[in-house]
Amino acid sequence: MRKYDYLIVGAGLFGAVFAREATLVGKKCLVIDKRSHKGGNLYCEDVDGIHVHKYGAHIFHTDNKEVWDYVNALVPFNGFINSPLARFHDKLYNLPFNMNTFHQLWGVVTPAEAREKLKEQCAAYSHIVTPANLEEQALKLCGKDVYEYLIKGYTEKQWGRSAKELPAFIIRRVPFRFVYDNNYFNDRYQGIPEGGYNALIDALLEGIEVQLDTDFLKNRSHWQEVADRILFTGCIDEFFDYQCGHLEYRSLRFEEKRLEIDDFQGNAVVNYTAREIPYTRVIEHKHFEYGKQPHTVITYEYPDSYEPGKEPYYPVNDTRNGAMYRQYRELAAQCENVLFGGRLGLYAYADMDDTVAAALKAWKNEYNR
């Protein structure tokens, strides 16, 4: 007799939502994770009252009322609005690209003036009919100033290569807003869980057995025998022993500092867009929850190449990797008792609301099978 109905490999958001839904209808679940904490990349560390996002800034945002109601039924959210800044050399620009940004760039004050300036900037590159790379695509879409001040350096750092070596399709459009509004997201609902993301994960996994520091793949034969069904949220290529090849990722590394001052930059997130600055952004965590502590904690975020031992963050969605993932997806379809989910299991970057929705859908499909 197998002891559990479901073994969930990975205590991140997807696995936690799935485990909760299964448990609510009486299924017995075991959640395991190779890390020493629950929550996956949502994990926060409490530094004297400041909830530090250990794997980069996470702001929950959605237009999906069902998802918003779902998470708020577990823990209240605080209504934080993401309004990042971009720093290029010694000047600051508001994000997303809006009337404040255009005024800072060119001194324009009306939407008509901003549209005319953008039209003028783009006209210089009207001769580019079919952009050969990301740089040509961006110049055609937004002109020289927006590209050189706010896109070029940041993008090259993120991908670790020149914009002239990146495919044009990475930037399909450049979103411009001709209003004075620094709210980064268009979504109706936005916020941070009160008490940090650990509170959300703890609520999702309440009453569910969890084993940490437990690597499924190091003892696969044992773990495959403990449950009738398995949800695997790790890297799909690793699950299949890389038999179709290694999927590519970009990684991140973080340098964290505690400072004995009450405020470092006056904002939760400041992007550094100059190519010569090695990090892409500085996160000041207390601002996510309107902290009043006498100290602060900041994190420098550096893009990094991926190799075994590092955390895979962003899938490299090019033709080669897309074809390879389709091969893995075909193998996954042949696994009768194994489901795949999450950003690593599905080889897709997903916002948190989409992750919750996908996990709810996965459980619904499983329940109705």
Side-chain angles (χ1 to χ4, degrees):
M1 291 289 292
R2 298 178 189 267
K3 187 177 179 181
Y4 301 95
D5 296 301
Y6 289 92
L7 172 70
I8 291 94
V9 182
L13 186 58
F14 191 103
V17 170
F18 188 97
R20 179 178 189 269
E21 294 304 299
T23 301
L24 286 175
V25 297
K27 301 298 182 182
K28 189 172 184 182
C29 298
L30 170 64
V31 179
I32 65 173
D33 199 295
K34 64 183 180 181
R35 298 186 192 180
S36 60
H37 60 74
K38 295 176 286 185
N41 288 354
L42 294 187
Y43 173 70
C44 295
E45 180 183 12
D46 190 322
V47 180
D48 292 334
I50 297 175
H51 299 120
V52 176
H53 298 203
K54 295 298 287 186
Y55 300 93
H58 286 82
I59 299 101
F60 202 102
H61 59 96
T62 187
D63 268 335
N64 187 328
K65 188 175 187 300
E66 179 186 358
V67 167
W68 184 246
D69 289 345
Y70 182 86
V71 295
N72 275 266
L74 295 161
V75 60
F77 281 62
N78 68 3
F80 172 84
I81 298 297
N82 188 30
S83 302
L85 293 165
R87 181 169 177 170
F88 182 72
H89 298 146
D90 290 328
K91 292 188 177 181
L92 292 171
Y93 301 90
N94 287 109
L95 298 175
F97 305 141
N98 69 76
M99 284 303 302
N100 288 309
T101 323
F102 306 141
H103 178 72
Q104 290 151 353
L105 282 168
W106 305 312
V108 296
V109 295
T110 68
E113 291 172 336
R115 292 178 191 275
E116 187 61 31
K117 188 66 178 180
L118 281 167
K119 182 179 177 181
E120 173 191 314
Q121 290 256 315
C122 293
Y125 302 95
S126 60
H127 62 280
I128 301 174
V129 178
T130 304
N133 52 54
L134 184 147
E135 178 161 294
E136 291 187 359
Q137 173 81 321
L139 288 168
K140 187 174 178 66
L141 290 172
C142 66
K144 180 180 179 180
D145 290 348
V146 171
Y147 172 65
E148 291 194 349
Y149 292 10
L150 302 173
I151 295 176
K152 177 180 169 65
Y154 191 93
T155 302
E156 291 182 340
K157 289 187 286 188
Q158 280 285 83
W159 291 97
R161 63 187 75 173
S162 166
K164 294 179 180 178
E165 299 172 6
L166 291 167
F169 71 76
I170 291 177
I171 294 185
R172 300 185 186 278
R173 66 185 185 91
V174 177
F176 295 126
R177 301 181 192 173
F178 296 94
V179 291
Y180 288 92
D181 183 359
N182 299 322
N183 184 350
Y184 192 78
F185 300 116
N186 282 317
D187 296 327
R188 180 177 181 181
Y189 309 106
Q190 187 172 167
I192 305 288
E194 293 182 6
Y197 282 99
N198 294 3
L200 174 61
I201 295 298
D202 288 344
L204 285 166
L205 293 175
E206 184 177 358
I208 299 171
E209 186 177 349
V210 179
Q211 291 185 25
L212 303 174
D213 298 306
T214 301
D215 192 334
F216 172 86
L217 294 174
K218 287 186 176 178
N219 198 6
R220 185 196 298 243
S221 59
H222 164 72
W223 293 113
Q224 287 176 327
E225 296 300 318
V226 305
D228 296 327
R229 305 273 285 170
I230 296 172
L231 168 65
F232 185 80
T233 67
C235 293
I236 191 170
D237 55 344
E238 188 177 15
F239 182 89
F240 291 107
D241 296 320
Y242 307 106
Q243 59 184 276
C244 302
H246 287 254
L247 290 168
E248 289 183 272
Y249 295 89
R250 286 289 290 166
S251 190
L252 297 170
R253 63 183 179 86
F254 304 99
E255 179 184 324
E256 183 182 308
K257 292 183 179 180
R258 173 182 171 139
L259 303 175
E260 300 308 318
I261 57 175
D262 64 349
D263 200 345
F264 174 73
Q265 62 188 18
N267 206 51
V269 179
V270 177
N271 291 355
Y272 284 74
T273 60
R275 184 67 179 89
E276 60 269 23
I277 303 296
Y279 42 88
T280 49
R281 57 183 180 173
V282 175
I283 303 161
E284 188 165 13
H285 303 270
K286 69 188 303 179
H287 293 299
F288 291 127
E289 299 179 66
Y290 314 111
K292 303 297 183 184
Q293 299 85 354
H295 65 289
T296 192
V297 179
I298 61 172
T299 298
Y300 295 87
E301 184 175 305
Y302 297 81
D304 200 6
S305 59
Y306 172 71
E307 57 190 44
K310 297 179 181 178
E311 180 65 28
Y313 282 89
Y314 305 109
V316 179
N317 294 128
D318 59 14
T319 303
R320 173 183 170 275
N321 285 287
M324 191 186 305
Y325 170 65
R326 287 191 290 274
Q327 290 181 286
Y328 281 120
R329 194 169 60 192
E330 291 174 5
L331 291 176
Q334 299 169 27
C335 296
E336 292 184 5
N337 297 318
V338 183
L339 308 170
F340 294 85
R343 63 188 176 88
L344 303 181
L346 301 176
Y347 195 63
Y349 179 80
D351 288 329
M352 287 179 284
D353 63 326
D354 293 331
T355 298
V356 171
L360 290 172
K361 182 179 179 180
W363 170 249
K364 183 178 180 180
N365 292 340
E366 180 69 7
Y367 184 71
N368 293 326
R369 70 182 176 88

